[in-house]
Amino acid sequence: MDYQAAVQELKEALRPRTEPVGVSFFQDQAELPAKTRRPSKVFQKKVTICQGMTMARIYGWGVGITPEDIICMPAALAFGLTPATDPVTELGQLFCEVGFHAEAGAGIQEAKVIPHFAPGKIKAIYLCPLANSEQPPDVVVVYGNPAQLMRLIQAATFSFKERVTGSFGGKVECTEYLIGPYQDQAIRVAIPGMGDRIFSMTQDDEMVMAFPERFLEGLLAGLKEAGRRIGARYPITFYQNFQPEFPKPYQELAEKLGM
């Protein structure tokens, strides 16, 4: 697929604030493209995965996140980028220690259902503006406001004849929009969590839709067709075929002036 042309279509239809991002999971760090920016090397600092996403979608960088680049322990556990032999239990206990659950059982139960990779399954995450992708990414990620995502969801239901789903926990949501679509091979909607908003400057009105790359063509077709007969598009067209009703003093003045 011509990703530059695809991104141009997305931009014309949705007017997103930031770049759509292609995400690839590599089993060997050597698979990272030559011009990949690694935060541990560029900044001499470790970062969160969501910071890497911000660098890709706002800076336009191709960013590589490896165990040497990540500082977020919840994400590192979920993505299998730590030496932990039982990362699910570690993550569930961490949820309790920081007050997201009152007791370990509930924390571990949530950690079990959060999308996650087995330890060592991947060695690197590559995040790159979709328009710059040289090969098909595993997942495409689009940030937008609720109305923009509404149009993408309408496109999805038009083309694929199924409603779009999501799972919400308010934390470690990078797993929901990165690992979830990859493992389930399905379109997912996610509400970015606290880390996204604290560390990666995700705005209050931003949500995420993520999907395997193979859905991209159908979504572009759906954006053109879904609701076309009634003029559905973004920005949403306000209805103006009505006569406003003003308070009584305004009406009395109009009567006085013969209007």
Side-chain angles (χ1 to χ4, degrees), residues 54-70:
T54 294
M55 294 173 197
R57 71 186 183 101
I58 294 180
Y59 291 2
W61 289 2
V63 180
I65 303 292
T66 73
E68 293 76 32
D69 298 284
I70 190 168

Side-chain angles (χ1 to χ4, degrees), residues 89-104 107:
T89 297
E90 296 280 3
L91 182 57
Q93 291 174 341
L94 184 60
F95 286 162
C96 292
E97 290 173 11
V98 299
F100 282 128
H101 282 288
E103 53 91 20

Side-chain angles (χ1 to χ4, degrees), residues 162-184:
E162 292 183 354
R163 289 177 69 85
V164 174
T165 63
S167 176
F168 311 101
K171 48 194 171 296
V172 206
E173 295 304 302
C174 55
T175 66
E176 182 65 21
Y177 58 76
L178 295 179
I179 303 176
Y182 175 74
Q183 288 183 330
D184 295 347

Side-chain angles (χ1 to χ4, degrees), residues 159-252:
S159 292
F160 307 117
K161 303 174 178 61
E162 292 183 354
R163 289 177 69 85
V164 174
T165 63
S167 176
F168 311 101
K171 48 194 171 296
V172 206
E173 295 304 302
C174 55
T175 66
E176 182 65 21
Y177 58 76
L178 295 179
I179 303 176
Y182 175 74
Q183 288 183 330
D184 295 347
Q185 287 297 292
I187 299 171
R188 303 280 280 264
V189 168
I191 298 175
M194 288 182 61
D196 289 84
R197 302 181 190 282
I198 294 170
F199 301 118
S200 65
M201 290 67 179
T202 299
Q203 299 300 296
D204 285 355
D205 67 331
E206 287 186 301
M207 298 176 65
V208 182
M209 184 163 165
F211 48 89
E213 185 270 351
R214 66 186 178 87
F215 287 91
L216 179 57
E217 186 174 359
L219 285 170
L220 292 175
L223 280 171
K224 293 177 181 176
E225 295 298 326
R228 178 172 56 83
R229 294 178 186 174
I230 57 170
R233 63 185 177 87
Y234 184 85
I236 308 304
T237 304
F238 298 122
Y239 182 77
Q240 287 295 295
N241 186 17
F242 66 93
Q243 179 173 299
E245 187 76 18
F246 277 81
K248 188 174 181 179
Y250 293 83
Q251 296 177 30
E252 291 174 344

